[in-house]
Amino acid sequence: MEPVRNPNQLGAKIEQVHQLISRKWVSLIIHTLMSEPKRFSEIHSYIPDLSKRVLNERVKDLEQEGIVLRNVIPSRPVRTEYSLTRKGVELGRALQALEDWAEKWN
């Protein structure tokens, strides 16, 4: 039997997710990272209209939310890659369903 959910709590959680994914470029950044980890410049090359300043802000926001993981690779030269956490991959799958819907109906 499913637990009874408080509609106010559920509504607040849904609103929190909407606020995150409705920020410009967030869904495209997540989409870009779905296939494999990428360096900052690679993410930027996939979304050229996105300024580097805004990309940096969005990646930091997604890190704070536990959606993106920043991995510093101690090679020469030092490289930084970004990948999705498990939470990020699950969000990416949910966004893929929205992309599929948009493709079909828009």
Side-chain angles (χ1 to χ4, degrees), residues 7-84:
N8 292 331
Q9 288 176 334
L10 182 58
K13 288 181 179 187
I14 291 170
E15 183 60 30
Q16 183 181 11
V17 171
H18 278 283
Q19 286 178 5
L20 174 68
I21 64 173
S22 68
R23 296 186 74 191
K24 192 167 185 176
W25 307 113
V26 166
S27 61
L28 285 174
I29 293 168
I30 293 169
H31 176 82
T32 300
L33 293 173
M34 281 297 286
S35 59
E36 62 184 1
K38 293 190 177 53
R39 294 188 324 271
F40 187 91
S41 60
E42 291 175 307
I43 299 169
H44 187 258
S45 71
Y46 279 92
I47 316 169
D49 291 339
L50 169 58
S51 75
K52 290 180 180 181
R53 181 187 63 79
V54 173
L55 175 56
N56 190 49
E57 287 175 12
R58 295 300 182 263
V59 167
K60 284 182 180 180
D61 292 344
L62 292 169
E63 274 186 272
Q64 288 177 343
E65 292 291 332
I67 292 169
V68 167
L69 178 66
R70 181 178 182 265
N71 183 27
V72 177
I73 301 166
S75 62
R76 287 189 186 223
V78 174
R79 290 184 8 220
T80 304
E81 287 186 339
Y82 297 90
S83 60
L84 295 176

